[in-house]
Amino acid sequence: KDFSINLSTKTTIAGNYTLKLTATGSGIYSRTGTALTTDASDSWKVDLTAPTVLVSSSETSPTNASPIPITIEFSEPVSGFEISDITTGNATASNFNTVNDSTFTVDLTPSSNGNVTVDIIAGVCIDIAGNDNVVASQFAITYDNIAPTLSSVQIASNNSNPTYAKIDDIVKVTFTGSEELQDKPSVTIAGHAINSSYITNTSGNKWE
């Protein structure tokens, strides 16, 4: 015959539990009067911790990569997570892949230049104990595939007539980029490359 015991009020704290039935002195007999002689036990774990999730990319912001590789990593194994659980902004998700029970990858193809975001709401998957995942912090990266251009290029010397230069005169080239540059631009004058130590970022996207 089967018996049940409600232990819900005894297992409200996360941890490992064991229920043991000791045969000796239990007073349990069979219908024929034979006493129970074998102990019995069962163990289980109570898990009350919801899985967290981290969204990241091997690309840094800003990036011109398309698609943008995304890694989604849960703090523990989960089930039920799929591509439809990923909410994207200014991008389309594809190539969803399960690396293991807690790690997933997906590619994002930006729709246009600007901010690309990834959101994962709470409750889209569960851990082995049935706990729903918590909401992820939004992932954001700037997509920029427009090459910078140079404008407002000015050449002047310290000659009394700045549009001319003679030997030993100092010639200064001033130019403005369409956006801020991460690296020094290469400058060539009359076929001669200018040493990068002479190229200075004066402010923002302005160089000389």
Side-chain angles (χ1 to χ4, degrees):
K1 186 175 181 179
D2 295 329
F3 298 88
S4 62
I5 302 175
N6 185 352
L7 299 175
S8 59
T9 61
K10 305 296 184 180
T11 57
T12 57
I13 299 175
N16 296 311
Y17 291 85
T18 299
L19 178 65
K20 183 177 181 180
L21 174 62
T22 302
T24 303
S26 65
I28 300 175
Y29 295 86
S30 69
R31 289 181 178 179
T32 59
T34 303
L36 181 69
T37 58
T38 304
D39 295 343
S41 65
D42 191 19
S43 299
W44 68 97
K45 180 180 180 179
V46 174
D47 177 7
L48 303 177
T49 303
T52 58
V53 56
L54 175 66
V55 183
S56 63
S57 175
S58 57
E59 292 293 324
T60 57
S61 186
T63 181
N64 62 357
S66 181
I68 301 171
I70 297 295
T71 299
I72 300 166
E73 187 172 6
F74 290 87
S75 58
E76 58 182 306
V78 296
S79 60
F81 186 67
E82 52 193 34
I83 192 170
S84 60
D85 298 323
I86 304 170
T87 302
T88 61
N90 190 34
T92 301
S94 63
N95 195 29
F96 181 78
N97 181 53
T98 300
V99 179
N100 53 48
D101 289 341
S102 59
T103 305
F104 307 83
T105 60
V106 69
D107 289 336
L108 295 186
T109 302
S111 302
S112 62
N113 283 281
N115 219 28
V116 171
T117 60
V118 177
D119 287 284
I120 298 174
I121 64 173
V124 297
C125 59
I126 59 174
D127 65 10
I128 193 172
N131 296 307
D132 289 333
N133 71 283
V134 299
V135 63
S137 297
Q138 185 183 72
F139 172 83
I141 189 171
T142 300
Y143 176 66
D144 177 10
N145 70 341
I146 299 177
T149 58
L150 297 180
S151 61
S152 183
V153 178
Q154 298 177 342
I155 302 176
S157 73
N158 63 345
N159 192 289
S160 57
N161 185 341
T163 59
Y164 292 86
K166 64 180 186 299
I167 295 176
D168 293 332
D169 281 349
I170 298 175
V171 178
K172 180 182 291 186
V173 179
T174 303
F175 53 92
T176 302
S178 58
E179 56 184 300
E180 292 189 16
L181 307 178
Q182 288 187 329
D183 301 309
K184 286 185 176 183
S186 299
V187 178
T188 302
I189 300 177
H192 299 283
I194 305 303
N195 190 304
S196 62
S197 63
Y198 293 107
I199 303 173
T200 304
N201 180 207
T202 55
S203 66
N205 55 350
K206 296 181 178 181
W207 298 77
E208 65 179 25

